[in-house]
Amino acid sequence: MNKTPSLSPPEVMDFCANPECAAEIVEGQLAVRYGQHLYCKMGCAAKSIGITTVSAGEE
Ligand SMILES: [Zn+2]
């Protein structure tokens, strides 16, 4: 099998498991793994598992 030089775009490994995002996760990208799922960023993972950021003290 021929390895093509880095002219080709990075290979898509997976898609973000957050359905609202579903961004491509490419080879070498920093992604977030949670169980079986892979997310493109921490925010997507957090949202998907029900973690939200709030300002402390605000109702
Ligand atoms: Zn995402």
Side-chain angles (χ1 to χ4, degrees), residues 16-18 21-23 39-41 44:
C16 180
N18 181 344
C21 172
Y39 300 91
C40 70
K41 57 178 185 280
C44 283

Side-chain angles (χ1 to χ4, degrees), residues 9-45:
E11 202 177 329
V12 177
M13 305 305 285
D14 215 330
F15 293 90
C16 180
N18 181 344
E20 288 172 30
C21 172
E24 289 179 351
I25 295 168
V26 296
E27 199 176 2
Q29 181 183 334
L30 204 60
V32 180
R33 180 175 286 285
Y34 179 75
Q36 301 273 69
H37 304 293
L38 207 59
Y39 300 91
C40 70
K41 57 178 185 280
M42 192 57 86
C44 283

